[in-house]
């Protein structure tokens, strides 16, 4: 069977919240000295997402209106068997990939964007501000806001703004207002430009700009595309669907792999399966793959740090490279973030998640191989997961093991063709370790 599909009625009715099942208590956010970042959260986030951020309910009901838009936007997403890739590798492993790239915006990001726009609308807010790296989150929130009749302002990391102009175009089609970050639109953006006129930008800076706007205006909320608990929870529609799909073919994954930047697609696909491991009912391996040039989990410190560069956010206990870290301008813009979801960080610290890193050149090589084998061009972010899946499949070739490997195919690469062109021509910039 090459394609495992569910019906529209199989869209989950509840999100899974991993908080009650954690092996140890998740450290709470903290204010920095003399500041009130936690108290400011109620000014910049909707009541709905703040309740979910700190909830200890194992399952949270998906509002009917959100579930209907999930269905309208194409959920459930299909699970594919990568038979072409298996044959290219000559491996006894079975490789599957969950097609989150088939959403209208080309990635998994709509799963949380729709929910966050819904709760903002419910509070009577008129506009959402946000950041985006590669543009997938900004695109998703622009569409979600359009569907909810909200305005949307997006601060896009400058290097991605320049690398991927068509992402900006799509956001503008959905009526999103897009600024290259750092920008002249905020006090903090102006400060960064004054100090460093050619600054390439970072997700931390873009977050600071978006939060500044939300703090200054009463009719505006801020929306984050990854890292925070409520975003991880919204994304679990992926894993909950996967559970049903593997049940349909009477198979369970032995290895599950996803890329990680802030942790949203990894958490969404893995957390429902990690629950079984936490309860002692699974031997599945969970592998999180990040860029070698932005090694948050593999080389970062597990400590309290800000989620943004200015320090508007509370301090979160997470793996971090430091909120001032500026990642090299690799094409996987969605993975160029200094920190990691506190939930993912805790599970990695406790040994339930194995972090790995990969270089830009080797992931593009694997992306091309996947495209030739399966016909689908992966996003540069997704190629990180594919690279490690290929590594695992080749191990099976050596040992003869018939493991079942699952890749969360988080997004397509049709708007990342400049990166692929650079790789094919030999002009791809090397990683900076």
């Amino acid at each position: 069977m090459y394609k495992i599909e569910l019906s529209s009625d199989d869209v989950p009715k509840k999100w899974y919240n991993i908080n009650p099942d954690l092996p140890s208590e998740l450290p709470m956010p903290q204010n920095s000295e003399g500041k009130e970042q936690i108290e400011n959260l109620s000014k910049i986030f909707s009541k709905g997402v703040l309740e979910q951020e700190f909830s200890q309910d194992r399952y949270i009901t998906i509002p009917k209106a959100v579930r209907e838009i999930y269905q309208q936007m194409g959920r459930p997403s299909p699970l594919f068997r990568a038979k072409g890739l298996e044959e290219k590798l000559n491996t006894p492993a079975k490789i599957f990939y969950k097609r989150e790239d088939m959403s209208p915006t080309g990635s998994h990001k709509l799963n949380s964007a729709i929910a966050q726009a819904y709760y903002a609308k419910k509070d009577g807010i008129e506009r959402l501000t946000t950041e985006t790296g590669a543009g997938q989150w900004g695109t998703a929130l622009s569409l979600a806001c359009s569907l909810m009749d909200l305005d949307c302002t997006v601060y896009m990391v400058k290097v991605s703004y320049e690398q991927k102009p068509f992402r900006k175009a799509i956001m503008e089609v959905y009526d999103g207002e897009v600024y290259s970050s750092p920008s002249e639109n905020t006090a903090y953006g102006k400060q960064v430009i004054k100090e460093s006129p050619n600054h390439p930008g970072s997700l931390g800076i873009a977050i600071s700009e978006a939060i500044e706007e939300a703090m200054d205006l009463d009719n505006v909320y801020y929306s984050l595309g990854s890292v925070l608990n409520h975003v991880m929870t919204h994304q679990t529609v992926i894993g909950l669907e996967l559970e049903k799909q593997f049940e349909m073919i009477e198979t369970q994954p032995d290895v599950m792999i996803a890329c990680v930047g802030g942790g949203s697609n990894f958490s969404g696909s893995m957390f429902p399966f990690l629950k079984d491991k936490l309860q002692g009912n699974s031997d599945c391996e969970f592998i999180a793959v990040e860029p070698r040039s932005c090694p948050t989990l593999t080389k970062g410190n597990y400590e309290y740090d800000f989620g943004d560069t200015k320090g508007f956010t509370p301090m979160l206990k997470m793996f971090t490279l430091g909120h001032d870290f500026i990642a090299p301008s690799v094409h996987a813009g969605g993975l160029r973030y200094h920190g990691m979801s506190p939930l993912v960080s805790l599970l990695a610290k406790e040994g339930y998640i194995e972090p790995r890193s990969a270089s830009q050149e080797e992931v593009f090589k694997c992306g091309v191989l996947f495209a030739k084998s399966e016909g689908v061009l992966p996003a540069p972010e997704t190629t990180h997961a594919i690279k490690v899946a290929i590594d695992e499949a080749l191990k099976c070739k050596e040992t003869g093991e018939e493991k079942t490997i699952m890749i969360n195919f988080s997004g397509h690469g049709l708007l990342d063709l400049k990166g692929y062109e650079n790789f094919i021509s030999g002009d791809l910039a090397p990683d900076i370790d």
Side-chain angles (χ1 to χ4, degrees), residues 20 22 50 68 70 101 188 257 281 292 309 314 351 365 368 389-390 420 433:
L22 292 174
L50 275 183
E68 288 176 348
Y70 279 171
D101 65 299
Y188 184 60
I257 306 166
N281 299 321
R292 192 164 295 161
T309 306
K365 180 179 179 180
V368 170
I390 290 172
Y420 277 99
D433 291 326

Side-chain angles (χ1 to χ4, degrees), residues 167-196:
R167 277 286 177 196
K168 172 179 177 287
I170 293 178
M171 288 183 249
E172 290 175 339
V173 165
Y174 295 141
D175 289 333
E177 184 180 24
V178 189
Y179 293 94
S180 174
S181 174
S183 76
E184 295 283 354
N185 201 49
T186 66
Y188 184 60
K190 290 176 182 176
Q191 176 188 329
V192 174
I193 292 171
K194 183 178 180 180
E195 295 173 356
S196 180

Side-chain angles (χ1 to χ4, degrees), residues 141-340:
L141 192 67
S142 295
L143 174 56
C145 285
S146 180
L147 293 170
M148 297 287 178
D149 195 27
L150 296 171
D151 292 331
C152 182
T153 301
V154 181
Y155 290 90
M156 186 172 185
V157 177
K158 179 181 176 182
V159 64
S160 290
Y161 184 94
E162 294 172 349
Q163 284 175 342
K164 305 175 185 187
F166 295 118
R167 277 286 177 196
K168 172 179 177 287
I170 293 178
M171 288 183 249
E172 290 175 339
V173 165
Y174 295 141
D175 289 333
E177 184 180 24
V178 189
Y179 293 94
S180 174
S181 174
S183 76
E184 295 283 354
N185 201 49
T186 66
Y188 184 60
K190 290 176 182 176
Q191 176 188 329
V192 174
I193 292 171
K194 183 178 180 180
E195 295 173 356
S196 180
N198 297 315
H199 201 295
S202 71
L203 277 166
I205 293 170
I207 292 170
S208 294
E209 291 204 84
I211 291 178
E212 180 184 317
E213 255 208 278
M215 290 179 65
D216 287 347
L217 299 169
D218 291 335
N219 63 340
V220 177
Y221 277 163
Y222 167 67
S223 182
L224 185 66
S226 193
V227 182
L228 296 182
N229 299 350
H230 64 271
V231 185
M232 309 298 113
T233 298
H234 298 158
Q235 291 294 349
T236 59
V237 291
I238 304 170
L240 294 167
E241 289 176 7
L242 270 172
E243 285 186 318
K244 291 185 179 181
Q245 287 165 319
F246 277 117
E247 286 171 7
M248 286 174 62
I249 57 174
E250 299 180 346
T251 302
Q252 287 300 313
D254 298 301
V255 184
M256 300 186 74
I257 306 166
C259 62
V260 282
S264 65
N265 93 91
F266 179 90
S267 301
S269 54
M270 309 293 169
F271 278 6
F273 291 84
L274 266 160
K275 171 174 60 70
D276 296 331
K277 183 146 187 164
L278 291 165
Q279 295 172 351
N281 299 321
S282 169
D283 293 323
C284 186
E285 298 174 57
F286 301 92
I287 304 175
V289 193
E290 61 189 6
R292 192 164 295 161
S293 58
C294 192
T296 309
L297 281 175
T298 49
K299 293 187 178 180
N301 296 317
Y302 186 57
E303 60 190 19
Y304 274 98
D305 193 12
F306 295 109
D308 71 313
T309 306
K310 177 65 174 175
F312 286 132
T313 72
M315 299 185 75
L316 306 173
K317 188 69 175 288
M318 60 183 177
F319 278 99
T320 177
L321 296 167
H323 60 276
D324 290 327
F325 176 77
I326 305 298
S329 301
V330 294
H331 283 272
L335 307 185
R336 294 193 304 250
Y337 183 59
H338 70 272
M340 183 58 61

Side-chain angles (χ1 to χ4, degrees), residues 62-76:
I62 300 175
K64 181 180 178 182
V66 172
R67 188 168 181 266
E68 288 176 348
I69 297 176
Y70 279 171
Q71 293 168 322
Q72 179 188 347
M73 295 294 107
R75 299 216 71 87

Side-chain angles (χ1 to χ4, degrees), residues 353-387:
I353 293 169
E354 179 188 350
R356 295 191 196 175
S357 65
S359 71
Q360 178 163 246
E361 184 171 353
E362 61 189 357
V363 301
F364 267 100
K365 180 179 179 180
C366 291
V368 170
L369 175 61
F370 190 93
K372 290 178 179 178
S373 306
E374 296 297 318
V376 188
L377 189 71
E381 293 80 7
T382 309
T383 58
H384 289 70
I386 291 169
K387 193 271 177 189

Side-chain angles (χ1 to χ4, degrees), residues 77-147:
S77 65
L79 177 67
F80 276 76
R81 174 85 179 270
K83 288 286 288 184
L85 183 60
E86 292 171 15
E87 291 170 4
K88 285 271 190 183
L89 300 175
N90 191 26
T91 177
K94 296 177 182 177
I95 305 172
F96 292 86
Y97 57 107
K98 178 73 163 163
R99 293 288 303 274
E100 289 301 299
D101 65 299
M102 296 181 75
S103 79
T105 57
S107 82
H108 67 291
K109 293 292 189 178
L110 263 180
N111 299 327
S112 187
I114 291 166
Q116 292 191 52
Y118 167 82
Y119 289 116
K121 183 73 172 181
K122 192 175 178 181
D123 283 2
I125 288 300
E126 298 175 6
R127 180 160 65 94
L128 284 174
T129 64
T130 196
E131 77 297 325
T132 196
Q136 292 176 335
W137 170 247
T139 303
L141 192 67
S142 295
L143 174 56
C145 285
S146 180
L147 293 170

